Amino acid sequence: MASHRAQLLLTLLPTALAFGLQAVEPEVEPLKNLDTDMPVDLPDTEARFFVANVEQLQNENGEEVLDALLTGWVDFDSRQFVPDAEWAEELSQYLEDLVDMRINHVRAWVRSNLTRFQASQASVLELQRVVESAIIDLKSSVQLCRMQCSCCQLLCIQNRHHDGPHDCQTEHTCTQKCEFCAEFEIPEEQEAKKCSMM
């Protein structure tokens, strides 16, 4: 019985980590205790995270999912108004808070579904090992590179393990009149130009 439960939880785990749900299709099903059918009522986010082998994410890659998370941050567009290191730190904290909510919810869901089984059973121990390994991967999927962009002084906000050059993912244009623009008397009504402070 314990091995059957552990196997079922292993099957549901990727969707639980990606969406905070037991099922997305054909109907949305919350994380719940499989014995009592009661939802595991913990705070979670509606954010989607990239988890390999999740059918609903098969047409997306980790960078696309991360980009959606980044632009979901309410202060994402404030980058040119605060020091970049401070902005990147707050963005990283936002991502960490989101992923921690999901992890706490999934851990509680696993615990609630294993309470009637002995924790020392091999299948339960294996499930717990897989859960912890998947959690490490989930945390890694939202860690930002934060090295200097290859085109400017801003920090790279791609995944820490990205391929290719570092990219701050801006258009490298001024969004406000800065001291540099004022010094060279660039009119305010002039179209945004590439920043020369690179």
Side-chain angles (χ1 to χ4, degrees), residues 64-77 91 94-95 157 169:
E64 291 170 336
V65 175
L66 180 59
D67 286 347
L69 288 170
L70 297 178
T71 56
W73 181 43
V74 69
D75 290 328
F76 187 76
D77 293 330
L91 176 58
Y94 163 77
L95 295 172
I157 57 170
Q169 298 186 4

Side-chain angles (χ1 to χ4, degrees), residues 177 180-187 190:
K177 191 168 182 177
F180 179 81
C181 295
E183 183 180 334
F184 288 93
E185 298 177 358
I186 298 171
Q190 189 173 356

Side-chain angles (χ1 to χ4, degrees), residues 12-61:
L12 299 172
L13 181 63
T15 301
L17 288 169
F19 296 97
L21 302 167
Q22 270 181 206
V24 178
E25 296 172 352
E27 291 180 20
V28 170
E29 195 172 334
L31 296 179
K32 61 185 177 181
N33 183 297
L34 298 169
D35 296 317
T36 65
D37 216 31
M38 293 294 294
V40 177
D41 195 21
L42 272 182
D44 202 341
T45 173
E46 292 182 7
R48 292 181 325 167
F49 296 99
F50 185 77
V51 177
N53 304 319
V54 174
E55 185 178 330
Q56 293 80 7
L57 296 173
Q58 65 186 354
N59 296 325
E60 298 182 56
N61 63 41

Side-chain angles (χ1 to χ4, degrees), residues 4-173:
H4 179 265
R5 175 58 56 87
Q7 189 58 48
L8 178 57
L9 292 174
L10 279 173
T11 304
L12 299 172
L13 181 63
T15 301
L17 288 169
F19 296 97
L21 302 167
Q22 270 181 206
V24 178
E25 296 172 352
E27 291 180 20
V28 170
E29 195 172 334
L31 296 179
K32 61 185 177 181
N33 183 297
L34 298 169
D35 296 317
T36 65
D37 216 31
M38 293 294 294
V40 177
D41 195 21
L42 272 182
D44 202 341
T45 173
E46 292 182 7
R48 292 181 325 167
F49 296 99
F50 185 77
V51 177
N53 304 319
V54 174
E55 185 178 330
Q56 293 80 7
L57 296 173
Q58 65 186 354
N59 296 325
E60 298 182 56
N61 63 41
E63 287 295 334
E64 291 170 336
V65 175
L66 180 59
D67 286 347
L69 288 170
L70 297 178
T71 56
W73 181 43
V74 69
D75 290 328
F76 187 76
D77 293 330
S78 69
R79 189 168 194 171
Q80 289 194 0
F81 300 100
V82 294
D84 202 53
E86 180 183 319
W87 181 88
E89 179 59 35
E90 289 175 8
L91 176 58
S92 292
Q93 188 60 55
Y94 163 77
L95 295 172
E96 191 177 312
D97 291 346
L98 287 181
V99 84
D100 283 346
M101 271 196 288
R102 177 64 48 78
I103 288 167
N104 291 337
H105 193 192
V106 169
R107 279 184 173 146
W109 168 70
V110 169
R111 274 193 312 273
S112 83
N113 281 290
L114 294 177
T115 53
R116 64 186 183 99
F117 303 106
Q118 289 185 348
S120 61
Q121 287 193 329
S123 56
V124 172
L125 291 172
E126 174 64 12
L127 169 65
Q128 291 171 338
R129 186 192 65 73
V130 171
V131 167
E132 292 308 311
S133 176
I135 284 171
I136 290 168
D137 291 343
L138 186 67
K139 284 184 173 187
S140 178
S141 76
V142 298
Q143 289 179 336
L144 302 179
C145 171
R146 294 168 68 174
M147 297 296 288
Q148 185 175 318
C149 176
S150 60
C151 295
C152 69
Q153 302 295 316
L154 297 178
L155 301 177
C156 175
I157 57 170
Q158 295 182 92
N159 181 271
R160 188 178 71 177
H161 302 293
H162 70 87
D163 294 325
H166 298 295
D167 187 0
C168 64
Q169 298 186 4
T170 70
E171 294 176 3
H172 301 108
T173 57

